[in-house]
Amino acid sequence: MRAARAILFGIDRRVIVGAVRVVIVDEAPLIIVLGHRAFLPMPVPPNWDAESVLAYGEAIPFRADEGLLE
């Protein structure tokens, strides 16, 4: 078990919108939810230490049910 910093990027993947600490037991989280925003893993930017930093990009929300569920 280890801790790592997850850097959260916006939709355009150029602006950092936040950073959080995550605890990694076996592997890094597949999704990070911060407020109403979901972030998915993305490649770590060049020249960053990929061992201690994780990168997540904001996902565009969509409804798979085409608005049928209420």
Side-chain angles (χ1 to χ4, degrees):
M1 182 166 52
R2 68 182 179 99
R5 176 166 297 179
I7 306 299
L8 309 176
F9 288 87
I11 297 277
D12 64 359
R13 305 294 195 264
R14 289 183 282 171
V15 177
I16 295 174
V17 296
V20 295
R21 276 276 200 220
V22 293
V23 176
I24 300 171
V25 178
D26 293 326
E27 54 188 64
L30 296 177
I31 187 169
I32 293 176
V33 177
L34 185 64
H36 63 279
R37 300 162 83 176
F39 297 87
L40 301 174
M42 63 178 263
V44 175
N47 302 324
W48 286 31
D49 181 13
E51 292 294 319
S52 62
V53 175
L54 304 171
Y56 286 79
E58 186 172 2
I60 298 172
F62 70 96
R63 288 187 63 149
D65 64 354
E66 297 179 3
L68 300 176
L69 290 179
E70 290 300 326

